[in-house]
Amino acid sequence: MDKIMGKSILLTGGSGLLGTHLTKALLAKGNTVSHLSRKAGNNPQVKTFVWDINKGIIDEHCIDGIDTIVHLAGSGIAEKRWTDARKKDLIDSRVKSIELVYDLLKRKQHQVTSVISASGIGYYSDRGDELMYETSAPAGDFISQCCVLWEAAVDEGQKFGVRILKFRTGVVLDKDGGALPTLAKPIKLYIGSPIGSGKQWVPWIHWQDVVNMYLLGIENKNLSGVYNMVAPNPVTNKQLTQAVAKQLHKPLWAPNVPGFVLKLLLGEMSSIVLGSTKVSAQKIEDAGFKFKFADIDTALSEIYGS
């Protein structure tokens, strides 16, 4: 994994938390990295090309000399309540963005050989204790349909012979953003507690393993199709809450947050935290990926530096 890759990579969503981590790792390995973004970037090592997904505008030079596209763009699933307008934005920001890139690849000479895209474990949605594999069928709710449309849009790239690789990403643990700070905040204030029954499965993964999996995907031309991007040892919401409290040296005494309260507060979006998704990491391990953080305690102790 440590060999210099020397590739030319274009990232959509490169200025997000994950995109920032991945950009850093790619540059450290001697790759050329550029971003497709809504506004000019501030990293002197990265060339930023501007696009406007809603207006269908894209800088045509963004694919010049590029061999690999990593598609991370998409509005945050848990940032705002799911109104009809928000739902449309969640889908469009993922689907229309890759359509815009593909439209450019059809029109212009290019050297792109691989498209690697994020997807989400929301594909499986709430499935109780059943273990989900890449071959498992999608559910029928909104978040699942969003992932189905997202993946279908990415698969269109097969029509012009590029390698397609999709990672169904779990709950990425990172103290600088995503689910973890939201979970840790009430614990730090001594009012943390499991949510709903606390028995729902959380398919987590350490951000470093996410970055390493993308690096493997970029480097290994034999990887294609879909892979779950989750750690091999899922935990329940209660186990995760307890593990975070242990790292922060805080007691958990408050009663579980009732599910109906979350449904009132979050509406349909409450399905993200109340739903149970137990996901297998077997396929990516069989492909040779070695997890740096396979269990929750090791992952959290690295994140919180204890």
Side-chain angles (χ1 to χ4, degrees):
M1 273 281 270
D2 287 316
K3 64 178 186 282
I4 301 252
M5 293 200 264
K7 293 186 185 298
S8 195
I9 298 154
L10 176 68
L11 263 64
T12 76
S15 58
L17 192 58
L18 178 55
T20 305
H21 284 314
L22 184 56
T23 296
K24 209 170 160 182
L26 287 167
L27 289 170
K29 284 179 171 285
N31 300 282
T32 307
V33 181
S34 25
H35 288 175
L36 253 179
S37 188
R38 282 171 301 191
K39 52 184 190 296
N42 51 13
N43 184 343
Q45 289 179 280
V46 176
K47 187 156 191 183
T48 301
F49 297 92
V50 176
W51 65 347
D52 186 322
I53 296 159
N54 294 327
K55 289 181 181 161
I57 296 165
I58 186 168
D59 185 329
E60 301 212 344
H61 294 293
C62 68
I63 56 168
D64 293 353
I66 296 293
D67 49 62
T68 306
I69 295 171
V70 180
H71 178 44
L72 303 174
S75 301
I77 293 285
E79 278 169 23
K80 296 179 187 167
R81 202 179 170 101
W82 291 350
T83 59
D84 287 346
R86 182 63 178 172
K87 283 182 176 178
K88 185 179 183 310
D89 178 52
L90 289 173
I91 292 171
D92 287 353
S93 61
R94 288 162 172 77
V95 171
K96 282 191 169 173
S97 49
I98 195 68
E99 285 175 351
L100 198 53
V101 171
Y102 284 164
D103 182 52
L104 180 57
L105 293 183
K106 282 177 204 159
R107 288 186 284 120
K108 195 178 168 189
Q109 280 272 297
H110 65 86
Q111 297 151 265
V112 176
T113 55
S114 300
V115 172
I116 300 170
S117 177
S119 177
I121 50 87
Y123 182 93
Y124 311 112
S125 204
D126 182 8
R127 305 294 266 272
D129 292 331
E130 191 188 344
L131 189 60
M132 295 290 117
Y133 296 93
E134 287 80 355
T135 49
S136 303
D141 59 358
F142 165 70
I143 198 64
S144 175
Q145 287 311 299
C146 178
C147 292
V148 168
L149 292 167
W150 188 3
E151 291 188 17
V154 172
D155 283 341
E156 285 292 305
Q158 289 168 344
K159 288 180 181 167
F160 32 91
V162 300
R163 171 178 70 111
I164 303 290
L165 175 60
K166 296 162 293 185
F167 286 122
R168 287 184 189 146
T169 316
V171 177
V172 180
L173 300 184
D174 185 337
K175 69 172 186 292
D176 297 324
L180 195 56
T182 311
L183 179 77
K185 195 175 179 181
I187 295 172
K188 287 176 180 171
L189 298 170
Y190 296 92
I191 49 170
S193 66
I195 287 166
S197 68
K199 292 177 188 165
Q200 64 275 35
W201 291 98
V202 180
W204 66 276
I205 182 167
H206 188 290
W207 70 264
Q208 185 71 66
D209 280 326
V210 172
V211 168
N212 289 344
M213 215 180 282
Y214 272 106
L215 294 179
L216 178 71
I218 290 165
E219 210 165 277
N220 185 344
K221 287 278 188 273
N222 297 321
L223 282 191
S224 67
V226 66
Y227 288 84
N228 291 330
M229 187 178 254
V230 295
N233 297 297
V235 291
T236 63
N237 174 269
K238 184 179 181 180
Q239 288 167 335
L240 178 60
T241 309
Q242 287 170 335
V244 173
K246 187 175 120 186
Q247 287 300 327
L248 297 173
H249 309 292
K250 298 283 193 254
L252 287 179
W253 56 267
N256 288 22
V257 180
F260 75 87
V261 173
L262 283 168
K263 283 178 183 158
L264 283 173
L265 288 173
L266 304 175
E268 199 179 343
M269 194 169 86
S270 63
S271 65
I272 304 179
V273 279
L274 294 172
S276 175
T277 319
K278 192 179 187 184
V279 179
S280 167
Q282 194 62 52
K283 187 179 173 187
I284 195 70
E285 287 191 297
D286 289 347
F289 184 75
K290 301 270 186 289
F291 282 91
K292 208 170 164 187
F293 304 99
D295 67 89
I296 196 68
D297 289 329
T298 317
L300 290 172
S301 98
E302 190 284 327
I303 285 170
Y304 290 116
S306 50

